[in-house]
Every structure is written in C-alpha cells, then in structure tokens.
C-alpha cells in the first residue's frame, strides 16, 4: 500500500514537472512570437516614417516642377533620393525580407523616374536655337517616365499588400 502511494506521488511530481515544462515551452514560443511581431511593427513604423519623408520631399519636387525650376527639381530630387537611400538601408525582420525587397525595387524605379524627369526638363531648359530640343521624342519620353513611376508605385503597393497579409 505504501509503495503504491509512493508511485502515485512520484507520478504526480513527474506529471507536474512535465506540465511545467510544456507550459514553459508555450510561454517561450509566445514570447518569440511576440518578439517577432514587435520587430515587424518597429520595421513597418520605420518604413512609414521614411515614406512620409519621401512624400514631403516629392511635394518639394512637384513645387519646383510647377515653377519650371530645373535647379530646384534637381535639388528636390536629390532630397528624395536621400529618403530612398534611408528606405534601402532599413533592416527588415526575416519574415519581412520579401516586403523590404518590394519596397527597395519600387523605390529604385521611382528614383529612375525622377532622374529621367529631371534629365528631360534639363534638356528642354538648355535647348537653344542652334541646338533645339527634339519635341518629337517628348511624348515617348514622358510615357517611359510614367511607366517607371507606375512600376515603382506598383512595387510599393505590392510591398504594402504583402505586409498586410503577414500581420
């Protein structure tokens, strides 16, 4: 009889120890998941801040375009490139690396579109009677710039979509 009480006591202690082990493992998994979510939120907050900076800098670019200020366009484009560099420099958590790649690819297309736009308007601004601007190419060049811009914004939207699917 006493032996069966000891066996039950040992079994109870082992069951309790096993339960603590299992609960401890769940708590660690929960902590790891919480940590990953926290890292994801911090990364997305950084992305949002960079995008707000980029938006402000692009507004400066648009203002320079509306004034026909080619030097201002170049300056504001350079400012926008700094925000794009900030985006490229963000370190994404492992499960958001594909999102980061979409953002980087989209930003690269936007940078290319801005550069092409500045180049186009620099050529127009520097045209002379002796070396006039080739207006026959204007529509095609604007269409190429628009295509780059659309591709860039599409990639940024794709990154946003991927990020929201993961949250």
């Amino acid at each position: 009889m006493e032996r069966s009480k000891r066996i039950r006591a040992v079994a109870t202690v082992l069951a309790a120890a096993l339960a603590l082990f299992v609960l401890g493992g769940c708590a660690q998994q929960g902590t790891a998941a919480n940590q990953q979510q926290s890292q994801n939120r911090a990364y997305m907050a950084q992305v949002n801040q960079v995008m707000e900076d980029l938006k402000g800098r692009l507004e400066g670019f648009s203002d320079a375009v509306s004034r026909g200020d080619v030097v201002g366009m170049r300056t504001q484009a350079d400012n926008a490139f700094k925000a794009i560099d900030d985006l490229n420099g963000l370190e994404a958590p492992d499960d958001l690396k594909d999102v980061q790649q979409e953002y980087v690819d989209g930003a690269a297309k936007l940078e290319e579109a801005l550069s092409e736009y500045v180049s186009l308007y620099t050529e127009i601004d520097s045209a002379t009677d002796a070396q006039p601007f080739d207006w026959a190419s204007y529509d095609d060049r604007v269409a190429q710039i628009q295509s780059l811009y659309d591709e860039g914004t599409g990639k940024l939207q794709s990154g946003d979509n991927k990020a929201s699917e993961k949250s």
Side-chain angles (χ1 to χ4, degrees), residues 105-153:
D105 293 347
K109 290 296 179 183
L110 289 179
E111 186 170 349
E112 191 176 347
L114 281 174
S115 293
E116 290 296 319
Y117 196 87
V118 171
S119 293
L120 173 63
Y121 278 88
T122 300
E123 287 178 37
I124 291 170
D125 189 54
S126 63
T128 63
D129 289 337
Q131 293 192 339
F133 177 75
D134 178 17
W135 287 100
S137 68
Y138 179 82
D139 288 339
D140 288 340
R141 288 180 67 185
V142 169
Q144 290 171 347
I145 292 166
Q146 185 65 49
S147 177
L148 288 169
Y149 176 82
D150 291 344
E151 191 176 347
T153 57

Side-chain angles (χ1 to χ4, degrees), residues 1-166:
M1 184 91 162
E2 203 166 298
R3 183 175 177 186
S4 82
K5 285 184 182 180
R6 282 188 221 164
I7 291 175
R8 277 189 228 161
V10 168
T12 302
V13 169
L14 288 175
L18 181 61
L20 286 174
F21 177 75
V22 169
L23 288 175
C26 289
Q28 288 175 349
Q29 288 175 348
T31 300
N34 288 343
Q35 184 179 10
Q36 186 64 45
Q37 288 176 347
S38 178
Q39 289 173 347
N40 290 354
R41 281 191 299 273
Y43 166 74
M44 291 308 297
Q46 290 174 324
V47 168
N48 287 334
Q49 182 60 53
V50 169
M51 289 302 181
E52 283 299 313
D53 291 346
L54 179 59
K55 179 182 172 191
R57 293 171 185 195
L58 289 176
E59 287 171 0
F61 181 82
S62 293
D63 187 44
V65 169
S66 68
R67 291 188 321 267
D69 179 4
V70 176
V71 173
M73 283 183 221
R74 169 51 54 200
T75 301
Q76 295 303 322
D78 288 343
N79 286 337
F81 298 159
K82 291 174 188 170
I84 290 170
D85 289 343
D86 291 345
L87 179 65
N88 293 342
L90 292 179
E91 186 64 36
D94 287 340
D95 63 334
L96 294 179
K97 295 274 187 205
D98 59 333
V99 172
Q100 172 69 5
Q101 191 58 54
E102 290 291 323
Y103 290 148
V104 167
D105 293 347
K109 290 296 179 183
L110 289 179
E111 186 170 349
E112 191 176 347
L114 281 174
S115 293
E116 290 296 319
Y117 196 87
V118 171
S119 293
L120 173 63
Y121 278 88
T122 300
E123 287 178 37
I124 291 170
D125 189 54
S126 63
T128 63
D129 289 337
Q131 293 192 339
F133 177 75
D134 178 17
W135 287 100
S137 68
Y138 179 82
D139 288 339
D140 288 340
R141 288 180 67 185
V142 169
Q144 290 171 347
I145 292 166
Q146 185 65 49
S147 177
L148 288 169
Y149 176 82
D150 291 344
E151 191 176 347
T153 57
K155 289 280 191 181
L156 294 175
Q157 183 63 52
S158 174
D160 285 346
N161 293 343
K162 286 181 179 184
S164 66
E165 290 170 3
K166 294 181 183 215

